[in-house]
Amino acid sequence: LKIVVNEVPVPVAYGPAYEGERVRGEDIYLECGGGRTPMVEWVTSKPIDDVVDGLVTVNGPDVNEVSAGAKLPLAILVEVAGRQMQDDYEPILERQIHHLINYAQGVMHIGQRDIAWLRISKGAVEKGFRLEHIGKLLHAKLHQDFGRIFDKLQIKIYTSAEDVLAITAKAKEAYAARDSRVAGMTDESVDTFYSCLLCQSFAPSHVCVISPERTGLCGSYNWMDCKASFEINPLGPNQPVPKGQTLEPRLGQWKGVNEFVFKASRGAVDHYNFYSIISDPMTACGCMECISAILPLCNGVMTVNREFTEMTPCGMKFTTLAGTIGGGVTTPGFVGHSKYNITQRKFLAAEDGIKRLVWMPRSLKEEVSDLFNERANEIGIPDLLSRIADETIGTTEEEILPFLTEKNHPALSLDPLL
Ligand code: SF4
Ligand code: ZN
């Protein structure tokens, strides 16, 4: 029996019209994630008997139990079950959380996975919006849009740090397992990539094209996920993109991709390169997990993740960088990408890949270290990670250059970047 849900049971207006709306400053009633508190969202499958369709629980303080301006940790755990449900579909359902929450008037959602960010406005709270409504709207909309692939869905919301951290730890294992599904694949081994147009509502000219060796810049979608998404929803945002003729093997440019991007950006972008930060790099929306920027003095590249809110050696913080490159245009010298992409073999391949990386926040180094060290081993520089500077060494090019010199960082002996 398929459950049909027509209404979205929330006490605020609801629809795509509210998607781009911001909640700022004095207007914020509750804030979660965004580097202020831990926040995670995770969709996972369960045996059918373990899911009560439509169940929404809120564990920990809700909006009406905190005062205006409060910050809370938040986990949104969505458990699905059904005969058609496959693990492959989890990331697709999970990525819907972003726009489905944004559809609620007075509620702002940014990011994904364990770097999500939520704000609920005073206006929404006055109208009666509570955390349980996040669960209710997800239940209603996911049934409407994806009811074909699951039968039952329940949502558990947590706002205590202990619960949120425990769920984050499990979710991270699931994220890593998803990421690794494309680990053995190469861009040469397929003749079709996939588009993602989910973010066009925010960045109308932005088109993600996702190849096995370049996961979506938000980190939520890799080639496998897009393939599954197309199978579920053949008219949806993830369309097959035939590569066509290879135009620039070193930069990563294909005729079929250019044609697709031109059409899907309505003529705004006619080409971009998958593997370069200098020559017409891929466009970006606002969702990137990381941003790379060139550091001319060091003849290298830095990369910074969203969670790192301090100054970086390119002279900009993450938020400023995101504002600079996030409008759906190509910005030479800057590129948005996922965390996982740092450890994919084609990462900045046109500029010698990870050999160019001269600075990363310490936490990002730790987070990617296992896979990064595998890549470093492959290229014959097993200790590369320890030769890369971080904020404890410095946050300007001048501060980190002596360290790079002392460590004999490989970037210093590569061809000039510019
Ligand atoms: Fe899709 Fe790209 Fe947006 Fe991620 S950032 S949801 S891959 S369009
Ligand atoms: Zn986006």
Side-chain angles (χ1 to χ4, degrees):
L1 183 82
K2 287 283 173 194
I3 295 116
V4 180
V5 185
N6 291 315
E7 291 293 307
V8 178
V10 290
V12 294
Y14 188 84
Y18 303 103
E19 198 175 6
E21 169 206 36
R22 295 286 168 173
V23 178
R24 286 200 177 93
E26 275 300 291
D27 216 22
I28 306 170
Y29 192 97
L30 175 71
E31 182 162 39
C32 307
R36 282 105 173 141
T37 66
M39 175 169 168
V40 65
E41 45 203 35
W42 180 31
V43 173
T44 186
S45 338
K46 286 272 171 190
I48 195 105
D49 292 337
D50 293 357
V51 180
V52 178
D53 188 59
L55 176 77
V56 177
T57 57
V58 176
N59 307 276
D62 200 336
V63 187
N64 53 332
E65 291 159 275
V66 295
S67 45
K71 299 185 197 320
L72 284 175
L74 182 68
I76 301 172
L77 174 62
V78 179
E79 296 177 329
V80 283
R83 271 168 302 138
Q84 306 291 323
M85 187 62 200
Q86 301 176 15
D87 295 355
D88 298 2
Y89 299 159
E90 293 167 2
I92 299 151
L93 296 177
E94 191 175 290
R95 190 57 180 137
Q96 310 304 316
I97 296 174
H98 175 51
H99 67 264
L100 294 182
I101 291 182
N102 266 316
Y103 282 2
Q105 187 181 21
V107 185
M108 182 185 97
H109 182 282
I110 292 177
Q112 55 279 324
R113 289 190 170 185
D114 59 336
I115 59 167
W117 184 8
L118 178 85
R119 282 178 174 172
I120 301 177
S121 73
K122 288 180 179 163
V125 173
E126 263 165 37
K127 287 187 186 134
F129 194 91
R130 302 289 177 264
L131 290 174
E132 65 161 350
H133 292 113
I134 290 177
K136 292 194 163 165
L137 69 89
L138 289 176
H139 173 256
K141 288 299 289 178
L142 288 172
H143 260 298
Q144 258 175 36
D145 300 346
F146 292 89
R148 289 186 307 293
I149 60 169
F150 64 83
D151 301 320
K152 298 202 275 179
L153 180 141
Q154 66 189 13
I155 293 103
K156 297 174 179 168
I157 292 171
Y158 298 86
T159 60
S160 83
E162 199 189 345
D163 289 336
V164 173
L165 294 177
I167 291 164
T168 304
K170 283 196 207 156
K172 281 187 146 181
E173 286 175 25
Y175 303 152
R178 291 175 191 169
D179 290 345
S180 71
R181 295 176 60 230
V182 290
M185 297 182 65
T186 64
D187 288 356
E188 291 77 19
S189 70
V190 297
D191 50 22
T192 303
F193 296 161
Y194 286 92
S195 66
C196 191
L197 300 178
L198 267 182
C199 287
Q200 282 202 333
S201 46
F202 295 97
S205 66
H206 172 66
V207 183
C208 271
V209 179
I210 295 168
S211 70
E213 291 182 278
R214 201 181 196 289
T215 56
L217 55 86
C218 61
S220 303
Y221 274 10
N222 62 34
W223 186 89
M224 283 288 187
D225 303 327
C226 293
K227 185 167 179 279
S229 168
F230 173 67
E231 282 159 16
I232 299 172
N233 186 6
L235 298 175
N238 303 106
Q239 293 294 315
V241 179
K243 277 157 65 180
Q245 187 193 342
T246 303
L247 301 176
E248 298 277 0
R250 197 180 59 88
L251 300 173
Q253 194 188 133
W254 298 267
K255 192 153 182 273
V257 174
N258 287 350
E259 285 165 3
F260 185 94
V261 169
F262 185 70
K263 241 210 240 142
S265 69
R266 292 171 207 87
V269 182
D270 61 8
H271 72 286
Y272 56 49
N273 295 313
F274 280 46
Y275 312 142
S276 180
I277 188 174
I278 305 265
S279 309
D280 303 333
M282 199 178 277
T283 59
C285 54
C287 307
M288 59 294 239
E289 281 187 306
C290 302
I291 300 174
S292 286
I294 55 166
L295 297 178
L297 187 66
C298 301
N299 201 35
V301 169
M302 56 154 270
T303 188
V304 57
N305 52 319
R306 185 177 290 274
E307 304 94 301
F308 187 78
T309 52
E310 304 300 312
M311 186 47 83
T312 76
C314 74
M316 285 184 264
K317 295 181 180 179
F318 184 92
T319 43
T320 317
L321 278 165
T324 307
I325 74 161
V329 291
T330 282
T331 316
F334 301 89
V335 70
H337 56 84
S338 67
K339 287 179 182 168
Y340 183 69
N341 188 233
I342 300 170
T343 63
Q344 292 191 288
R345 290 179 185 84
K346 293 286 199 321
F347 176 65
L348 304 187
E351 285 88 24
D352 300 289
I354 54 174
K355 276 191 217 168
R356 282 284 176 188
L357 267 185
V358 296
W359 190 92
M360 285 197 267
R362 173 155 280 201
S363 58
L364 181 61
K365 279 191 189 173
E366 280 164 15
E367 194 171 339
V368 300
S369 62
D370 288 351
L371 288 174
F372 189 96
N373 289 333
E374 279 180 30
R375 290 294 91 76
N377 253 318
E378 279 172 20
I379 61 167
I381 316 173
D383 65 342
L384 179 58
L385 198 57
S386 67
R387 300 201 218 172
I388 296 175
D390 57 39
E391 72 276 17
T392 66
I393 309 293
T395 50
T396 65
E397 287 206 69
E398 289 77 8
E399 281 169 8
I400 64 171
L401 187 56
F403 172 86
L404 301 172
T405 311
E406 181 204 309
K407 294 279 178 185
N408 192 22
H409 191 290
L412 300 176
S413 43
L414 291 175
D415 289 344
L417 194 52
L418 292 178

